[in-house]
Amino acid sequence: MNKVIRTFAIVVFAAFQVHALGLQTVFDNQKKAAFPDTCEMQMRTTVTLPGQTAQVVNMALLTAGENKSITTIKSSMMQMEMVQNNGRMKVTDLKTGKKLPAQNMPSQNPGDVTKQMGNPEDYNAPVQSGNLWKITPKDASKPTLYYSAKRKRVVKMTVDVQGTDTETLLEYCDNSCELPGTLKKTTITTKLPNGGESKVVLEVLKAKQRHVLPSKMFDVE
């Protein structure tokens, strides 16, 4: 009888091992969602706050490697261009043509959500939660990830910062896109202390890989 029990336990353990999900697999697949270092993107951000009209911001982003970018922002409130080059940034008001002196500023791409996730060693082993895998962080300041084995992507993140719950839903491009598997839409919903909620929706309208770009385009002096 003991031999039968041991054999059954080994079979169950082996089956679990086959179906278990590794953290490295999650992060390796998520890297495939990142946009190329040299890329041209068109994005639209819609911000909705309780009792206010939704604000829409259109953005064009051109990157050349990790440290050079040109961001053009147009909305009812502003029209500006930001040129970043190795940590230095120059801002131009497109309405007046006025330029601000170059200043130090970390480079950011709003379409790159993978940086928020950290690294595999920041998380505990995935556990199944419905039809998704739930991956909890070792440090509560990082988000809890929900991974779809079918999509091979993180499709939801949640985080609680000082009692404020934020949920981020992630959608990815299918094979009809020029860059399949990259981010298509992010919806961030934050529960406010007064009981309402704010919503920020980032849509990647178009993205394509670019190659060598003239360095003069990114002059910040």
Side-chain angles (χ1 to χ4, degrees):
M1 177 64 73
N2 288 337
K3 183 176 181 181
V4 172
I5 293 174
R6 286 198 301 270
T7 302
F8 178 75
I10 291 171
V11 170
V12 171
F13 178 76
F16 176 77
Q17 288 294 95
V18 169
H19 292 93
L21 176 69
L23 284 170
Q24 193 60 54
T25 297
V26 171
F27 280 82
D28 286 346
N29 284 334
Q30 196 61 33
K31 287 177 183 178
K32 299 173 185 176
F35 293 97
D37 285 344
T38 304
C39 185
E40 183 177 355
M41 303 171 64
Q42 299 287 334
M43 293 177 282
R44 177 171 61 220
T45 302
T46 304
V47 181
T48 306
L49 299 174
Q52 298 185 27
T53 303
Q55 298 292 321
V56 179
V57 178
N58 291 299
M59 180 185 301
L61 176 65
L62 180 65
T63 62
E66 294 184 359
N67 301 312
K68 296 179 182 179
S69 66
I70 300 174
T71 306
T72 305
I73 299 175
K74 293 185 178 181
S75 71
S76 59
M77 304 285 291
M78 70 179 79
Q79 293 188 26
M80 66 172 58
E81 179 187 79
M82 297 180 293
V83 180
Q84 291 183 296
N85 190 330
N86 292 309
R88 299 275 288 168
M89 182 173 74
K90 178 180 68 177
V91 179
T92 302
D93 185 327
L94 297 177
K95 288 185 177 180
T96 64
K98 183 178 179 180
K99 293 179 173 58
L100 298 179
Q103 54 186 303
N104 293 321
M105 186 72 65
S107 180
Q108 289 185 326
N109 178 351
D112 184 5
V113 297
T114 57
K115 290 183 180 179
Q116 302 173 29
M117 300 178 187
N119 301 297
E121 56 267 25
D122 298 325
Y123 289 86
N124 298 303
V127 296
Q128 283 195 295
S129 176
N131 60 349
L132 300 176
W133 288 88
K134 182 178 180 180
I135 307 169
T136 56
K138 296 176 182 178
D139 181 343
S141 65
K142 285 188 167 54
T144 296
L145 311 179
Y146 293 83
Y147 177 85
S148 168
K150 181 179 179 180
R151 297 299 309 274
K152 296 184 178 180
R153 295 289 186 273
V154 172
V155 295
K156 184 170 76 169
M157 300 189 295
T158 60
V159 66
D160 184 342
V161 179
Q162 297 181 346
T164 301
D165 294 324
T166 297
E167 177 186 79
T168 302
L169 300 179
L170 305 169
E171 299 177 32
Y172 301 89
C173 279
D174 57 23
N175 290 331
S176 65
C177 293
E178 192 160 345
L179 298 174
T182 55
L183 188 70
K184 180 180 179 181
K185 183 179 179 181
T186 302
T187 302
I188 305 170
T189 303
T190 302
K191 302 293 185 182
L192 302 177
N194 62 5
E197 65 179 30
S198 67
K199 184 172 288 187
V200 179
V201 179
L202 171 66
E203 300 170 89
V204 179
L205 305 176
K206 188 176 181 180
K208 65 178 181 179
Q209 186 169 15
R210 295 288 296 269
H211 297 284
V212 179
L213 296 171
S215 58
K216 188 176 181 180
M217 293 176 63
F218 305 92
D219 184 9
V220 296
E221 299 302 331

